[in-house]
Amino acid sequence: MHIHEYQAKTLFRCRDIQIPKGILIDNTTKINDVCKALGGDVWVVKAQIHAGGRGKGGGVIFCHSIEKVERVCNQLLGSKLITPQTDAKGLPVGQLLIEAKQNIERELYLSLLIDRQTHKITVLSSTKGGMDIEKVASKTPDKIIKFGIDPLGSLSVQDCTFLAKKLGFNTELTKQFNNTLLSLYEIFTQKDVNLIEINPLIITQENKLLALDGKIDFDDNALYRHEDIAKLRDISQEDEKERLASEYQLNYILFDGNIGCMVNGAGLAMATMDLIEHFGGSPANFLDVGGGTTADRVAKAFELIQTETNVKSILVNIFGGIVHCDLIAQGILQAIKTVGLTLPIVVRLEGTNAPEGLNLLNKSKFNIHVESDLTKAAIKIVKLTK
Ligand code: ADP
Ligand code: MG
């Protein structure tokens, strides 16, 4: 689960990580008071969406007058912001963070994540932070300092000091950096975080270390034990269909192809998409109805797939391990009766009671192409789609 920049900054502030003065707004009635309370004469208006790249997408705007702050806020609130990190539709802007402009001396990068190769919580840092960090990482990877934390130990002050030295900090900055990094590590480990990132972490002209941006991604599977974090969820930032799917315990992710897929098991879903691609087709989604799926869930999955306008055909691929194929066949027929069938459909059933299942589908009055072989099913659906 992602959270907004302002929420990440609140978590930072609670652990003594320094952030700029800022005020969150969702309407423009009190802009004058907000700017006055922040002080200074330049303000930064920052759109709160669950994506980065806002600086490049017109979501971080510098304003030299209160009138401009008001104008910019009116434009951004209620709009959809498209950045290099969103899709073409963009994300809705419901809140803005207004900050006093900081005097930036240097922009650094600092993050914590789990390195899948070393199986360690790893610190990534760089003196080349800011909006082009992706370019830095791909063109000059030696500018990224990587430090794996001993999984049996913890992040120590010595570790932080070692990194501070590599980043070229003096004694005063090292003290601030150590506090920041130790606090980040605390949040990371206590709140079951996947990724925590400050980009940029700045050094101001006044020699202060400040988190100018904040991004945190939490492990969904651990949210049940962090009520305070779960409350931060903003469903306006989530895809409506993907959200509905998660309510039915369906893993549903949209792509831009045209063959809708309904599969039980994530591995089988991946293999199914690979086969479709292999035979020249293009999957419209990843949909895992789960190992022990029910007729109800099958019906919901059907409904979701059929309402996607780009879907031109449907491939159902079920392996009956825990579930019985004849029950799945009944579920499919039930779903078709309820939501109708307007698209060509190929159903591949294999495993427990597969012959009974295929027989049920064959006997039905609907035009269902049945297969017990996955390769044949993939070839057929690609042909029907074309
Ligand atoms: P994103 O990562 O989505 O582009 P950031 O919050 O990192 O958004 O902002 C982009 C850039 O805007 C930063 O790299 C920084 O240079 C500048 N910036 C952001 N907030 C402030 C601020 N309060 N004062 C001065 N500059 C800022
Ligand atoms: Mg940023």
Side-chain angles (χ1 to χ4, degrees), residues 278-299:
H278 180 75
F279 290 112
S282 174
N285 66 279
F286 167 97
L287 173 61
D288 170 13
V289 293
T293 194
T294 59
D296 238 21
R297 238 188 270 165
V298 167

Side-chain angles (χ1 to χ4, degrees), residues 353-374:
N353 293 359
E356 290 85 341
L358 292 171
N359 192 30
L360 273 174
L361 296 176
N362 265 328
K363 273 196 332 213
S364 81
K365 60 181 191 304
F366 303 110
N367 187 17
I368 302 173
H369 302 268
V370 300
E371 287 289 350
S372 59
D373 180 87
L374 177 54

Side-chain angles (χ1 to χ4, degrees), residues 4-7 9-10 13 19-40 42-48 54 61 69 73 77 94-102 212:
H4 288 294
E5 173 196 10
Y6 81 90
Q7 295 168 321
K9 281 178 165 167
T10 306
R13 200 181 45 221
I19 55 166
K21 238 176 158 181
I23 295 175
L24 186 79
I25 60 154
D26 62 5
N27 65 72
T28 52
T29 50
K30 295 206 174 89
I31 292 292
N32 209 43
D33 297 349
V34 168
C35 292
K36 292 252 161 72
L38 289 171
V42 185
W43 299 274
V44 188
V45 176
K46 309 185 77 177
Q48 299 301 292
R54 296 166 303 162
I61 298 180
V69 173
C73 291
L77 279 174
Q95 293 157 310
L96 302 169
L97 179 64
I98 305 185
E99 285 184 344
K101 178 184 170 274
Q102 304 301 307
L212 215 58

Side-chain angles (χ1 to χ4, degrees), residues 52-54 130-131 197-200 213-214:
R54 296 166 303 162
M131 294 197 281
E197 181 185 84
I198 301 179
N199 185 35
D213 192 5

Side-chain angles (χ1 to χ4, degrees), residues 51-337:
R54 296 166 303 162
K56 290 184 172 164
V60 176
I61 298 180
F62 292 79
C63 304
H64 289 79
S65 68
I66 297 182
E67 291 70 42
K68 182 163 179 197
V69 173
E70 186 152 16
R71 197 167 62 243
V72 165
C73 291
N74 277 319
Q75 274 163 8
L76 281 173
L77 279 174
S79 73
K80 282 207 166 176
L81 185 66
I82 300 166
T83 82
Q85 292 180 26
T86 66
D87 62 16
K89 286 183 283 182
L91 285 169
V93 182
Q95 293 157 310
L96 302 169
L97 179 64
I98 305 185
E99 285 184 344
K101 178 184 170 274
Q102 304 301 307
N103 302 315
I104 303 175
E105 183 73 35
R106 281 165 64 193
E107 295 200 340
L108 312 156
Y109 176 91
L110 182 63
S111 70
L112 278 168
L113 46 79
I114 296 165
D115 184 329
R116 302 278 164 207
Q117 254 152 20
T118 60
H119 305 184
K120 286 177 181 172
I121 298 175
T122 299
V123 183
L124 296 183
S125 60
S126 176
T127 52
K128 302 275 176 220
M131 294 197 281
D132 286 320
I133 190 68
E134 287 83 5
K135 216 187 273 167
V136 174
S138 70
K139 296 239 166 87
T140 48
D142 54 305
K143 294 276 186 289
I144 310 273
I145 304 160
K146 211 168 153 182
F147 181 86
I149 300 165
D150 178 1
L152 296 178
S154 174
L155 181 71
S156 67
V157 178
Q158 285 77 9
D159 296 337
C160 299
T161 306
F162 166 80
L163 280 167
K165 206 172 227 168
K166 290 216 159 201
L167 293 166
F169 290 155
N170 61 23
T171 319
E172 176 48 35
L173 281 172
T174 299
K175 216 169 97 194
Q176 296 180 45
F177 177 78
N178 290 2
N179 278 341
T180 302
L181 186 50
L182 288 169
S183 293
L184 282 186
Y185 181 71
E186 219 175 83
I187 299 173
F188 194 97
T189 48
Q190 288 177 1
K191 299 292 179 190
D192 292 302
V193 166
N194 289 328
L195 166 80
I196 190 162
E197 181 185 84
I198 301 179
N199 185 35
L201 174 70
I202 60 159
I203 300 169
T204 65
Q205 286 162 9
E206 300 80 26
N207 222 29
K208 285 234 147 41
L209 202 65
L210 287 187
L212 215 58
D213 192 5
K215 173 176 173 177
I216 309 181
D217 177 42
F218 296 92
D219 184 348
D220 291 343
N221 296 316
L223 280 177
Y224 73 94
R225 57 184 185 194
H226 303 293
E227 235 176 86
D228 54 333
I229 302 296
K231 273 197 288 208
L232 303 179
R233 184 170 174 195
D234 178 358
I235 55 170
S236 79
Q237 300 293 308
E238 297 171 19
D239 183 273
E240 173 67 12
K241 296 239 171 74
E242 290 180 5
R243 194 178 59 74
L244 269 177
S246 77
E247 273 174 25
Y248 280 83
Q249 292 154 347
L250 302 164
N251 280 313
Y252 187 52
I253 296 157
L254 290 166
F255 302 125
D256 47 16
N258 56 8
I259 300 178
C261 307
M262 183 164 109
V263 188
N264 67 333
L268 190 59
M270 303 279 231
T272 307
M273 294 191 307
D274 280 350
L275 265 184
I276 289 174
E277 291 264 356
H278 180 75
F279 290 112
S282 174
N285 66 279
F286 167 97
L287 173 61
D288 170 13
V289 293
T293 194
T294 59
D296 238 21
R297 238 188 270 165
V298 167
K300 199 69 208 167
F302 233 88
E303 207 175 299
L304 281 169
I305 292 177
Q306 288 225 104
T307 51
E308 291 303 336
T309 46
N310 51 322
V311 170
K312 299 287 173 263
S313 64
I314 300 173
L315 173 61
V316 179
N317 181 19
I318 301 286
F319 183 84
I322 299 168
V323 293
H324 289 186
C325 290
D326 51 338
L327 289 182
I328 289 296
Q330 280 168 17
I332 293 170
L333 291 172
Q334 193 54 47
I336 292 175
K337 273 183 206 143

